[in-house]
Amino acid sequence: MVNLVFLSLTLFISIFPATSTFAGHQKGFLQCFQTMLGVDNTTSGVIFTKTSSSYEPILESSIRNARFLNSSAPKPNLIVTPHSLFHIQVALFCSKKSGLQVRIRSGGHDYEGLSYVSHSHIPFLIIDLVNLRSITINMDEETAWVQSGATVGELYYAIAKKSKVHGFPAGSCSTIGIGGHLSGGGFGTIFRKYGLGSDNVIDAQIIDVNGKILNRTLMGEDLFWAIRGGGGSSFGVITAWKIKLVPVPSKVTTFDVSRTLDQGATTLFHKWQTIAPKLPKELFLHTVVGVTNSASQEGGKTVVVSFSGLYLGTPENLLTLMQNSFAELGLRRDNFTEMTWIQSVLHYAGFSIDESLEILLRRNHSPPSFKAKSDYVKEPIPLRGLEGLWKMLLLDNSPLLILTPYGGIMSEISESETPFPHRKGNLYGIQYMVNFASNEDAPKHIDWIRRLYAYMTPYVSKFPRRAYLNYRDLDLGANQGKPWYEKAKSWGLKYFNCNFERLALVKARVDPGNFFRDEQSIPPL
């Protein structure tokens, strides 16, 4: 089937020269696409222009940052929602022929909107993989093939329908698209035990710049290495992933406790920094830091630190573990809730554990407007640094810090095993986020989070200062006036450290013309 599809594409390319003879980008693309499919009406439900009544709903359906819903955000000339791999092959060929850049979208959670916005203001189209979302689970092999348009929630739902003692180490937000999540790494509540989502990928299907459909064997180990953490949209259209399922207990244990500054949050957090990464890999203990109202504090606000744990074991064992390692938190048996692993998925996604699992299939929600940044911490932040951090947080109304402990199996995997380099030596990662009610408020909140990021400089990783690719941050690429490759290094080393050059070499081999590109794509070396 694959060879026949590729043969038909090759024959068409030999008949029609690569140089576009069409008057405009959009007209050229549409005529090319319709010609290749043979019958004009076969494009119905596949291609949407700006004049289509479905254009705006489809465009907005996967936008997860309302900052890019405003009218000034550059919009694609066309949206392609392929129903088959052949549709993607044709879209790639016709976009090259008509001079349209391509953006690839699975779930739309990319923080800077790069899968549906072109900040360089050039004509572009979206290949939206929303219709390619099948999930096929093989319980004999304990594996699954997942198409890139499926969400994390749909994957968790499909696994739960097959087994109560299997899971997958992906993220907690159920509407994340599998395609972007796995190609950037993908961590969640059991990654200290089993590694990243991308660490558990054992095969993949990609359509390259020439329209060839490749699996792991055909693409080779270098490209397979690159797409598991290096950002798949730099190398082709990844249409499916074969993943390995992981065992989970029939029951797990969770807890959530919060402490304000008056309740000793600073001392507790200071100790958390050294304890959380050293805990057994079965325990995930992260913290979320925000601001809450307080009548006793000047300004009527105080910092609150929430300690949230997921343990792959019983409440009794967890109680003993916490009393021995973190007695200061004062946990008791009644702080713990025993549940199934899939109920813990609901819990960390923000749903009731008694909710129907069908809620994991829900895709649409009202997205916030936000800006985010990331860091990695290798040495505990001293008390004076934390006190300054709290003061910074109190300067904004809606700050949020999510601090994720590393250690466990993450310290046992080589930094070069995949492009994701943040392994041994990291105590925890930080996601900084600020939400704002309207885009008119964006400048002051973005200015604040940049000042917060600057304040944290002495306390985080250095040479390079590390960042997580899936928390995309265009501030990292603000190195104007330099050649493209040198400019790319300014963010590439932060995301990938020493793996950046290898990624650029792979890019040069598989896409030397840099067809698959965006504002932070891998450049060919």
Side-chain angles (χ1 to χ4, degrees):
M1 176 64 180
V2 170
N3 290 336
L4 289 175
V5 170
F6 180 62
L7 179 61
S8 67
L9 183 67
T10 305
L11 289 173
F12 184 84
I13 292 173
S14 68
I15 296 171
F16 290 87
T19 303
S20 175
T21 58
F22 302 118
H25 300 289
Q26 180 171 307
K27 180 181 177 182
F29 181 90
L30 291 171
Q31 188 170 342
C32 173
F33 202 98
Q34 290 167 352
T35 302
M36 290 192 71
L37 264 65
V39 181
D40 288 358
N41 62 15
T42 57
T43 63
S44 176
V46 178
I47 298 179
F48 302 89
T49 67
K50 290 182 177 180
T51 59
S52 167
S53 60
S54 299
Y55 174 90
E56 288 289 343
I58 291 173
L59 176 62
E60 295 177 4
S61 65
S62 292
I63 292 180
R64 301 297 178 228
N65 189 346
R67 191 152 56 99
F68 304 112
L69 283 173
N70 64 67
S71 58
S72 63
K75 291 181 169 54
N77 294 53
L78 298 157
I79 302 172
V80 181
T81 57
H83 293 263
S84 68
L85 301 188
F86 185 57
H87 285 159
I88 298 174
Q89 292 176 304
V90 174
L92 293 178
F93 172 72
C94 293
S95 63
K96 286 190 286 185
K97 187 175 176 64
S98 57
L100 283 169
Q101 195 182 90
V102 166
R103 299 293 167 107
I104 304 155
R105 182 166 77 171
S106 54
H109 269 266
D110 51 325
Y111 281 12
E112 298 283 15
L114 299 187
S115 65
Y116 52 85
V117 172
S118 174
H119 297 274
S120 54
H121 299 276
I122 64 174
F124 74 106
L125 62 83
I126 294 175
I127 296 178
D128 192 324
L129 302 176
V130 64
N131 295 319
L132 300 180
R133 54 205 278 193
S134 72
I135 300 171
T136 305
I137 295 178
N138 185 327
M139 289 311 305
D140 292 331
E141 289 186 351
E142 298 183 305
T143 62
W145 270 105
V146 189
Q147 286 191 305
S148 289
T151 63
V152 168
E154 289 169 347
L155 174 59
Y156 290 152
Y157 176 87
I159 295 171
K161 288 297 181 182
K162 292 285 188 178
S163 170
K164 298 186 186 311
V165 290
H166 287 84
F168 187 71
S172 57
C173 186
S174 59
T175 56
I176 297 173
I178 285 291
H181 192 55
L182 295 184
S183 68
F187 68 83
T189 58
I190 55 175
F191 88 121
R192 299 185 69 250
K193 173 76 171 178
Y194 294 113
L196 307 171
S198 57
D199 293 332
N200 291 275
V201 170
I202 54 178
D203 203 345
Q205 183 182 70
I206 186 172
I207 301 179
D208 72 4
V209 68
N210 298 311
K212 294 181 180 178
I213 302 172
L214 310 172
N215 60 14
R216 179 175 182 173
T217 300
L218 293 174
M219 76 176 79
E221 289 302 302
D222 279 346
L223 180 53
F224 184 65
W225 173 86
I227 62 176
R228 291 176 296 136
S233 61
S234 292
F235 304 98
V237 183
I238 305 170
T239 56
W241 308 80
K242 187 178 184 180
I243 59 172
K244 143 181 99 166
L245 306 183
V246 300
V248 294
S250 58
K251 294 286 187 179
V252 302
T253 306
T254 67
F255 67 88
D256 298 276
V257 295
S258 297
R259 301 287 186 265
T260 63
L261 296 185
D262 285 345
Q263 297 167 329
T266 303
T267 302
L268 290 171
F269 181 85
H270 187 258
K271 185 162 186 178
W272 171 88
Q273 296 180 99
T274 57
I275 290 173
K278 296 178 181 178
L279 290 169
K281 61 184 69 173
E282 289 79 17
L283 177 55
F284 172 79
L285 174 57
H286 82 155
T287 60
V288 177
V289 183
V291 170
T292 189
N293 294 327
S294 173
S296 64
Q297 294 287 326
E298 184 179 349
K301 297 189 298 182
T302 189
V303 170
V304 59
V305 181
S306 299
F307 298 86
S308 178
L310 172 70
Y311 179 58
L312 300 175
T314 66
E316 291 71 27
N317 288 346
L318 178 57
L319 181 59
T320 301
L321 175 59
M322 293 303 294
Q323 287 176 339
N324 291 336
S325 60
F326 203 0
E328 296 86 343
L329 201 53
L331 294 176
R332 303 185 306 271
R333 174 61 180 83
D334 58 9
N335 291 121
F336 301 144
T337 303
E338 195 172 31
M339 61 185 71
T340 63
W341 180 77
I342 195 63
Q343 285 179 312
S344 78
V345 167
L346 294 173
H347 174 70
Y348 277 95
F351 304 124
S352 165
I353 64 172
D354 298 319
E355 188 74 61
S356 167
L357 293 185
E358 274 68 26
I359 200 168
L360 294 173
L361 306 179
R362 184 184 299 171
R363 283 180 168 245
N364 295 328
H365 64 84
S366 299
S369 293
F370 69 89
K371 170 66 180 175
K373 303 176 80 67
S374 63
D375 260 323
Y376 285 88
V377 176
K378 295 179 176 292
E379 299 288 340
I381 301 173
L383 288 171
R384 68 180 181 278
L386 294 178
E387 290 164 358
L389 174 58
W390 306 154
K391 290 177 181 177
M392 286 295 300
L393 295 181
L394 291 169
L395 295 178
D396 195 89
N397 293 326
S398 57
L400 185 69
L401 270 59
I402 302 174
L403 303 108
T404 303
Y406 274 60
I409 198 173
M410 292 298 289
S411 295
E412 301 169 15
I413 301 173
S414 166
E415 183 172 313
S416 60
E417 179 70 19
T418 71
F420 181 97
H422 316 298
R423 308 283 188 171
K424 187 176 181 179
N426 290 293
L427 297 179
Y428 56 94
I430 306 177
Q431 177 180 189
Y432 312 94
M433 183 174 286
V434 61
N435 295 321
F436 29 93
S438 68
N439 287 330
E440 288 73 24
D441 295 331
K444 67 178 183 181
H445 292 289
I446 292 175
D447 175 69
W448 171 81
I449 201 171
R450 287 170 177 165
R451 287 188 286 120
L452 173 65
Y453 187 75
Y455 168 81
M456 291 294 289
T457 303
Y459 308 115
V460 297
S461 58
K462 301 173 180 64
F463 312 116
R465 185 173 183 174
R466 307 289 188 97
Y468 176 36
L469 179 67
N470 278 355
Y471 298 154
R472 197 72 88 159
D473 181 6
L474 288 181
D475 290 349
L476 303 181
N479 233 343
Q480 302 301 327
K482 289 192 174 184
W484 169 241
Y485 183 76
E486 290 302 312
K487 180 179 176 181
K489 282 174 68 175
S490 66
W491 51 260
L493 292 176
K494 292 179 174 67
Y495 291 139
F496 307 114
N497 199 26
C498 296
N499 296 324
F500 175 67
E501 185 169 315
R502 182 178 172 187
L503 285 168
L505 289 168
V506 175
K507 172 74 170 182
R509 181 175 64 82
V510 302
D511 183 18
N514 202 23
F515 173 74
F516 293 108
R517 67 187 185 275
D518 58 45
E519 287 75 10
Q520 284 191 348
S521 58
I522 302 296
L525 177 59

